[in-house]
Amino acid sequence: MYVTLTAQQRELFDRSLSAGEALDLDDLARTALTETASGIRRRPLPGVQPTEWTWRDDVAFTPSTQRVVREEHRLEPGTGKAFEVRAGQILRVSQVSGDQCADLNVFNLHDYREAMHVGRTRTLHGIHPDQGSFLWSAPPRERAMMYLLTDDAGLNDTLFPRCSAAMYESMFGFDEHTNCADMQAEAQREYGLTPDDVHDSFNLFMGTRVNPDGTCEVVHQHTPADAFVELIALMDVLAVPNVCGNDIFRTSNYALRPLDVTVMDAAEVDLAAVPGLRAHRSQRTPAAFTQPLIRTERSLRRDPEYSPAFARTPVTTERVEVSLDEDGAALLDAHARRDLYGDDDEAALRDLLISWWVASHA
């Protein structure tokens, strides 16, 4: 039988063959079919030489056995504050009386265009990231900005956007209401950022769920008064927490309460708890951009000199032959996604091959 592959898909299989994972494509297909039926074995990613990201080189202090407190602040209801948290320092957000949600924005202190990307964080760590998760920046930088070292409440959300003045006006008729978008904008203004620079928030101490019909819901939270979250900065960041201003929904159980924020130098044991991270060539900074300049003119106009330069285009395909013996054909028939592909064995085999490859390589 035949299977149609893009050049990129074929590249995955060729790397497996070069690494000695199979003799040829037929052998690789037999392995994929067999493991799909009996259990997939994990393998190192072939053809890749991992490069460690040595983020600790940017830690400007010498860690000791004890933490050193650098700043303490109480966030009163209706307020937020921007904190400089240097690489290796810890941002702790603590409950005062319990059950209070906080919104958090994070920016690279030296390049504010590198900001936390809640979507990437959600993709990698789920809708409720907790202890052991990273906060990631947006592509093309796509780096871990902070590490969630301690989370004794386990209530964090990446589903809901920040509440806003327009939301309270449109839904409830408020002329003015405490809201996270405006609190973030006001706190960030201390560092020259505008309301346009506020990004989707990482919601600390916020209970949410996805319902069977696909809708999202805020639920009552039960956060003890002594609960806190600690995040280690892996680069110099501007971290901006605010007390969530929502007393109309169950976000903070219909109340607005203060929160305490502490910035401190991490101890050596804290830094050692951060898992290893890899550096990638595709993590690009402005120096590698085709257009690195930040626009100051607001209106958009077409560049008459523009010429598209998309990577790996045009996309090409190749129809390759894969020989399956009787057992292989039976396995394909048993595990083909007939609900998607019906009698299209070619599409079913491509699905099985690629999904097996992705699942079997670390």
Side-chain angles (χ1 to χ4, degrees):
M1 64 179 297
Y2 288 85
V3 62
T4 301
L5 304 172
T6 67
Q8 296 172 134
Q9 292 167 341
R10 181 63 189 264
E11 180 183 314
L12 291 182
F13 301 144
D14 287 343
R15 281 163 50 193
S16 285
L17 299 181
S18 297
E21 293 179 0
L23 297 175
D24 52 28
L25 193 55
D26 294 349
D27 189 28
L28 197 70
R30 284 191 292 272
T31 301
L33 287 163
T34 302
E35 290 193 5
T36 298
S38 61
I40 294 176
R41 178 171 65 86
R42 298 287 287 181
R43 301 161 173 81
L45 195 64
V48 174
Q49 295 297 325
T51 301
E52 183 183 2
W53 178 32
T54 54
W55 65 271
R56 286 194 58 168
D57 291 348
D58 295 327
V59 175
F61 62 90
T62 301
S64 65
T65 58
Q66 301 292 324
R67 297 176 177 182
V68 179
V69 173
R70 298 298 183 184
E71 186 174 1
E72 294 178 294
H73 181 86
R74 174 154 290 184
L75 292 178
E76 297 294 344
T79 72
K81 181 167 175 53
F83 297 89
E84 294 184 21
V85 188
R86 303 287 174 164
Q89 289 187 323
I90 293 172
L91 176 80
R92 174 190 281 179
V93 181
S94 304
Q95 295 288 327
V96 174
S97 56
D99 297 340
Q100 178 59 52
C101 172
D103 282 34
L104 177 67
N105 273 203
V106 182
F107 302 86
N108 182 331
L109 188 61
H110 308 297
D111 178 7
Y112 79 96
R113 298 291 291 182
E114 179 171 22
M116 177 176 60
H117 190 242
V118 173
R120 175 61 66 217
T121 302
R122 178 173 57 245
T123 299
L124 293 174
H125 303 295
I127 61 177
H128 300 133
D130 57 7
Q131 188 167 307
S133 301
F134 292 96
L135 303 186
W136 296 86
S137 63
R141 294 159 177 83
E142 208 159 349
R143 299 188 296 171
M145 303 185 76
M146 305 189 84
Y147 175 68
L148 220 170
L149 176 69
T150 308
D151 178 11
D152 59 2
L155 283 173
N156 303 306
D157 168 71
T158 58
L159 287 174
F160 280 80
R162 58 198 177 274
C163 60
S164 67
M167 184 189 87
Y168 291 109
E169 181 182 359
S170 64
M171 296 180 72
F172 307 110
F174 281 101
D175 291 333
E176 188 175 40
H177 189 281
T178 54
N179 69 87
C180 295
D182 286 347
M183 276 185 271
Q184 281 288 326
E186 178 57 26
Q188 294 173 20
R189 185 173 66 85
E190 184 177 3
Y191 284 79
L193 297 176
T194 75
D196 280 342
D197 298 313
V198 178
H199 61 70
D200 279 350
S201 56
F202 181 50
N203 303 313
L204 305 173
F205 312 112
M206 183 173 176
T208 63
R209 67 185 176 199
V210 179
N211 296 317
D213 63 358
T215 58
C216 302
E217 182 181 7
V218 179
V219 299
H220 282 94
Q221 59 161 294
H222 303 285
T223 307
D226 59 352
F228 57 88
V229 167
E230 293 179 332
L231 293 147
I232 294 185
L234 308 183
M235 60 180 71
D236 294 347
V237 302
L238 186 73
V240 192
N242 70 268
V243 174
C244 179
N246 195 338
D247 56 357
I248 307 299
F249 296 148
R250 289 174 290 188
T251 311
S252 299
N253 299 350
Y254 303 106
L256 300 177
R257 309 172 183 87
L259 292 166
D260 283 340
V261 179
T262 308
V263 177
M264 49 193 148
D265 295 349
E268 175 57 40
V269 66
D270 299 320
L271 301 182
V274 180
L277 289 161
R278 286 163 50 185
H280 303 281
R281 292 188 303 273
S282 57
Q283 291 170 317
R284 298 186 299 276
T285 61
F289 293 178
T290 304
Q291 201 298 85
L293 302 178
I294 296 176
R295 290 180 55 86
T296 56
E297 183 182 359
R298 291 288 174 146
S299 61
L300 298 175
R301 294 180 177 84
R302 179 179 175 273
D303 178 3
E305 304 299 321
Y306 168 75
S307 178
F310 295 104
R312 297 197 71 154
T313 54
V315 174
T316 59
T317 60
E318 177 186 4
R319 196 161 185 253
V320 298
E321 187 173 7
V322 179
S323 298
L324 299 180
D325 58 19
E326 186 175 334
D327 291 340
L331 287 171
L332 175 61
D333 189 60
H335 295 281
R337 294 292 306 276
R338 298 300 183 194
D339 57 325
L340 295 178
Y341 304 115
D343 294 329
D344 189 345
D345 284 348
E346 180 174 332
L349 179 59
R350 182 177 58 232
D351 183 315
L352 188 146
L353 281 169
I354 296 170
S355 58
W356 165 82
W357 199 98
V358 171
S360 64
H361 292 86

